[in-house]
Amino acid sequence: MAPRHAFFKGQIVPIEDAKISIMTHALHYGTGAFGGMRAYWNGEQEELYVFRSLDHFERLLNSAALLRMRLPYTPESLTQTLVDLLRHEGYRENCYIRPLVYKSEETLAVKLHEMEDDLAIIVNPLGEGSYVNIDQGAHVCFSAWRRVDDNAIPARGKITGAYVNSMLIKTDAMLAGYDDALVLNEDGHLAEASAANAFIIRKGVALTAPITANVLEGIVRRSLIRVLREDMGIEVVERNIDRTEVYMADEAFLCGTGAQVTPVTKIEHRPIGDGGIGPITSQLRARFMDIVTGRVDKYKEWVTPIYSTEKVTSH
Ligand code: PMP
């Protein structure tokens, strides 16, 4: 289903009215930054929960700063705007939320400074949709592409133009019959998947690439590191991961707002572990789903309830 409204140029408008000019700078040069967030519907509580809204908006504003945008917003004010938009839409189902900041000036100038910027937010109701068939696990390959490098386009932010890299990785993987691809960085170490961070489990230890390996500063990644350590007693090590370590892993999974926790059960022609969904991955996935749907008191500060929130404050 498509969004009915958008937050556009400072107000909530019907989606048909949220239009930009063909001259918009961001359309020509990829000079925008975006977020990808989820709201989870909890039917028992009749509540919609947005996961880590303040953290998502903080990352968005950091990405915007990399593009020299000066926006009159804070993570708190954007969360309040999102609460208003979600209430306006009135969804009672899972939703995908897309905030976008972009160079809105109508110019072809090749520069970032001294230009107008704008922000828009749209919400896509999801129904029961998921990223890949999570129950079977994903079959992935190593991409022939390399992950965009911090010295070319900042990899830690969600810069719109950088997603050409993700699209090449994902499209070539899908056309070759895979669900997704893992991508190596220019150093030859594992970075992440096309639009998700990646973990492997070896001998009971969870390994994931450090942020300095040119991975996005994933919010689910950060959340799962805490859950693995604190709730499951699993050691987590952020370090460079070689390609062959993935082949030898006992378990592997992708994580992110879209992927949630997606088990990887096969890489190219090799099963991961015994080819099934491993015990750590399935326990983590169950815990994550409980957290995002507002069922875990310990992590209540990670979720913003939409229909019972009075005023948004920082945590
Ligand atoms: N890496 C990339 C390239 C992504 O696009 C995403 C999705 N935003 C992620 C990782 C996961 O990040 P997050 O957990 O913040 O959704």
Side-chain angles (χ1 to χ4, degrees):
M1 242 173 78
R4 293 191 289 255
H5 296 88
F7 181 81
F8 183 69
K9 295 195 185 295
Q11 52 183 325
I12 296 174
V13 300
I15 192 77
E16 314 76 71
D17 296 343
K19 297 252 162 64
I20 57 164
S21 158
I22 192 69
M23 283 294 292
T24 305
H25 193 270
L27 180 62
H28 293 261
Y29 301 124
T31 46
F34 66 103
M37 309 162 61
R38 268 192 200 241
Y40 288 87
W41 176 246
N42 180 325
E44 291 146 35
Q45 298 175 17
E46 304 242 315
E47 184 55 280
L48 188 64
Y49 288 104
V50 178
F51 186 60
R52 301 197 73 164
S53 177
L54 293 170
D55 300 284
H56 275 279
F57 284 127
E58 186 181 9
R59 185 176 67 193
L60 181 74
L61 293 174
N62 285 341
S63 297
L66 284 170
L67 297 176
R68 298 186 65 108
M69 293 182 183
R70 276 166 308 197
L71 295 157
Y73 301 109
T74 61
E76 288 78 13
S77 74
L78 289 173
T79 298
Q80 186 63 58
T81 299
L82 176 60
V83 170
D84 295 344
L85 179 62
L86 283 167
R87 283 189 185 165
H88 198 85
E89 295 283 38
Y91 293 128
R92 295 166 64 85
E93 62 188 293
N94 295 344
C95 300
Y96 181 81
I97 300 156
R98 167 55 54 83
L100 173 70
V101 293
Y102 60 102
K103 297 273 169 199
S104 54
E105 189 139 330
E106 298 181 18
T107 172
L108 300 181
V110 179
K111 65 176 181 116
L112 292 172
H113 59 291
E114 288 160 13
M115 287 217 269
E116 276 171 28
D117 315 305
D118 243 317
L119 168 119
I121 307 178
I122 48 174
V123 180
N124 246 338
L126 285 178
E128 290 305 307
S130 77
Y131 183 69
V132 290
N133 187 344
I134 293 183
D135 294 327
Q136 279 178 14
H139 182 192
V140 305
C141 60
F142 278 107
S143 182
W145 298 96
R146 289 290 179 266
R147 170 76 177 152
V148 65
D149 189 88
D150 194 52
N151 292 307
I153 301 177
R156 59 165 38 77
K158 277 181 86 75
I159 311 289
T160 57
Y163 274 73
V164 171
N165 185 234
S166 296
M167 308 289 160
L168 291 168
I169 294 162
K170 180 76 184 244
T171 298
D172 286 356
M174 288 178 78
L175 294 180
Y178 299 101
D179 297 311
D180 202 344
L182 297 178
V183 58
L184 306 178
N185 57 27
E186 291 291 355
D187 296 341
H189 292 118
L190 174 65
E192 53 182 329
S194 64
N197 293 109
F199 282 73
I200 61 172
I201 310 287
R202 287 194 71 194
K203 299 190 191 311
V205 177
L207 304 174
T208 192
I211 295 295
T212 48
N214 287 325
V215 306
L216 183 81
E217 294 187 342
I219 288 162
V220 176
R221 172 188 179 279
R222 200 191 311 157
S223 309
L224 296 183
I225 289 174
R226 182 165 163 202
V227 171
L228 281 161
R229 283 182 181 148
E230 286 183 20
D231 304 355
M232 293 170 60
I234 304 280
E235 187 186 345
V236 183
V237 182
E238 296 177 63
R239 67 154 171 84
N240 285 335
I241 296 171
D242 284 341
R243 176 184 190 127
T244 49
E245 287 185 286
V246 180
Y247 293 141
M248 292 163 68
D250 303 316
E251 299 180 36
F253 59 88
L254 310 182
C255 69
T257 301
Q260 305 181 97
V261 178
T262 298
V264 177
T265 47
K266 199 169 172 195
I267 175 138
E268 290 148 6
H269 307 294
R270 302 160 195 259
I272 304 257
D274 63 7
I277 297 173
I280 294 175
T281 306
S282 43
Q283 200 189 329
L284 182 65
R285 190 176 66 177
R287 181 78 175 158
F288 179 74
M289 294 316 292
D290 281 347
I291 291 169
V292 294
T293 49
R295 292 184 166 90
V296 183
D297 280 347
K298 177 178 175 189
Y299 295 109
K300 275 276 184 187
E301 91 268 16
W302 281 357
V303 291
T304 303
I306 293 308
Y307 296 117
S308 58
T309 287
E310 290 302 320
K311 187 168 183 323
V312 176
T313 51
S314 56
H315 43 232

